[in-house]
Amino acid sequence: MGDPTTIWRPDNTKNPSPSTPGSPIYRPDIQDYIEERLHDFDSELRSLSLKIHSNGELKFEEYFAHDLATSFLATKGFEVVKKYHLDTAWSATFEHKQGGRTIGINSEMDGLPFDGKVAHACGHNLIFISGIGVALALREALLKFDISGKIVLLGTPAEEGGSGKVKLLEKDAYKGMDICIMCHPAPGPERSVSLSSCLALQRITATYRGHTAHAALSPWEGRNAQDAAVLAYNNISALRQQLRPSYRVHGIIEGKDWAVNRNSNRIWALTYHRCFVRTPTKAMLEGAVKRVVPCLEAAAHATGCELELDLYGSTYDLVQNTALGNEVATIVKSRYGFIDYEWGIYSASTDFGNVTYELPSLHPGFAIPTVLNGGNHTREFAAAAAEPISHSACMDVTKALAGASIRILLDDEFFAEVKRTFEEDKARRETQG
């Protein structure tokens, strides 16, 4: 993790120069045009961002965002498919000439629940418009410079716990893409773009079934599923000392009917321990899960409860493509800011990780100004994601992603390098077990 004293705060904006201002980049004329056109689209993109920010929707319920995106892109020359494999997924495609490569782009849409409302506490309103912005800029550049190529923008629902991209992968929504790109806001140094990875994730639900009884009159008749869940939680807490510092294991306890029947005068017969296990690579997950599962099993043995284990919803670490990352870094350092490898979503998780194991991909983080203790998944981060300066940071990384995509379309040697490093990057991470 980077030095927390370097985090960009709202009251400490210095607007630093790019780290290597004016250094050479590939096709600066096209990059200039990308900047010009995104400037022209800026007010529309800002409006889209604020509209979904003020109309937050939970996973698989992003109907407002779905309709907003598809209606907007249909007016911008894209072929739009609504309800693309999933009810709230969508695609927007544009192709110029024949035989060009295909650039895949993702836009996320879902928010998080807070006090009965839905807030964009992970900044998906910014991810939403970045994907749209990349697609718009690329379309304009293809037409202006007569470049052969295809753009496929996917609206991907349910990143927050629903693994929407994994479901779309299974339905071949990414088939035919030569690369896929997106970005994600997070705390970090001012005007930084992060090429860090993230943690692979395995979800586990342990269901404990016991036998109900009167907690005072005849507790010996019961088998306490609540005790089982508490023991499982405590067992995992004891295990953490023996886990690597880079691992994360955390969870919650739920009970059947607890919300409607707050009765402390009974032995509870059904509880759930919902647990996330995270490791730096998917290759490390199996070993970590093997340490956690006995903690869950021991709780059942100790309480005499039956145990049902459900391992589901695994997502992978990000295989950040080295060649693509280097190209984005060159553009960012020349025009927009600087590169870091410690911030971004380095110890969180994303379903885009699974995409990065399937085709060359890049998922840079970008810093927005945040208050102390106001990082991702907080109300404070939701507020930060609506600020004009966060929009500006989002547009900078959008320009860099569009510029790197242009090189994919025009430079055969560069694309060969992207494919080569994809295999090398993936092989390296798959052996880090």
Side-chain angles (χ1 to χ4, degrees), residues 240-304:
R240 284 196 186 94
Q241 187 182 41
Q242 279 69 54
L243 294 176
R244 296 184 183 188
S246 56
Y247 289 12
R248 300 286 187 272
V249 186
H250 46 95
I252 61 170
I253 296 170
E254 297 178 2
K256 180 176 173 58
D257 298 329
W258 281 6
V260 296
N261 190 3
R262 297 174 182 174
N263 188 349
S264 59
N265 203 32
R266 65 188 292 187
I267 303 296
W268 289 95
L270 180 61
T271 60
Y272 309 93
H273 185 278
R274 305 192 192 278
C275 175
F276 285 6
V277 182
R278 305 183 199 241
T279 59
T281 68
K282 74 168 186 173
M284 296 177 178
L285 262 181
E286 183 178 357
V289 169
K290 285 181 178 179
R291 301 292 303 277
V292 171
V293 166
C295 295
L296 306 173
E297 293 172 336
H301 289 308
T303 57

Side-chain angles (χ1 to χ4, degrees), residues 129-142:
I129 62 162
S130 177
I132 293 172
V134 171
L136 292 174
L138 287 177
R139 180 183 180 276
E140 296 296 308
L142 265 57

Side-chain angles (χ1 to χ4, degrees), residues 168-247:
L168 290 172
L169 268 174
E170 292 169 349
K171 296 176 182 293
D172 291 332
Y174 291 83
K175 188 176 182 180
M177 294 181 185
D178 289 297
I179 66 163
C180 193
I181 54 174
M182 62 170 292
C183 61
H184 202 298
E190 184 177 354
R191 296 296 177 183
S192 64
V193 172
S194 178
L195 296 177
S196 64
S197 183
C198 72
L199 299 182
L201 165 65
Q202 178 64 65
R203 296 174 173 89
I204 305 174
T205 294
T207 302
Y208 294 100
R209 290 185 172 85
H211 183 73
T212 191
H214 193 291
L217 182 64
S218 52
W220 56 86
E221 294 178 355
R223 285 176 284 121
N224 198 322
Q226 180 178 335
D227 282 348
V230 170
L231 284 174
Y233 187 95
N234 289 335
N235 290 345
I236 291 171
S237 295
L239 173 67
R240 284 196 186 94
Q241 187 182 41
Q242 279 69 54
L243 294 176
R244 296 184 183 188
S246 56
Y247 289 12

Side-chain angles (χ1 to χ4, degrees), residues 277-333:
V277 182
R278 305 183 199 241
T279 59
T281 68
K282 74 168 186 173
M284 296 177 178
L285 262 181
E286 183 178 357
V289 169
K290 285 181 178 179
R291 301 292 303 277
V292 171
V293 166
C295 295
L296 306 173
E297 293 172 336
H301 289 308
T303 57
C305 292
E306 296 177 358
L307 169 64
E308 178 184 329
L309 281 178
D310 183 18
L311 280 70
Y312 65 100
S314 60
T315 61
Y316 304 155
D317 49 303
L318 290 166
V319 183
Q320 302 277 37
N321 185 268
T322 297
L324 270 174
N326 289 343
E327 183 65 15
V328 165
T330 296
I331 299 170
V332 168
K333 290 188 290 185

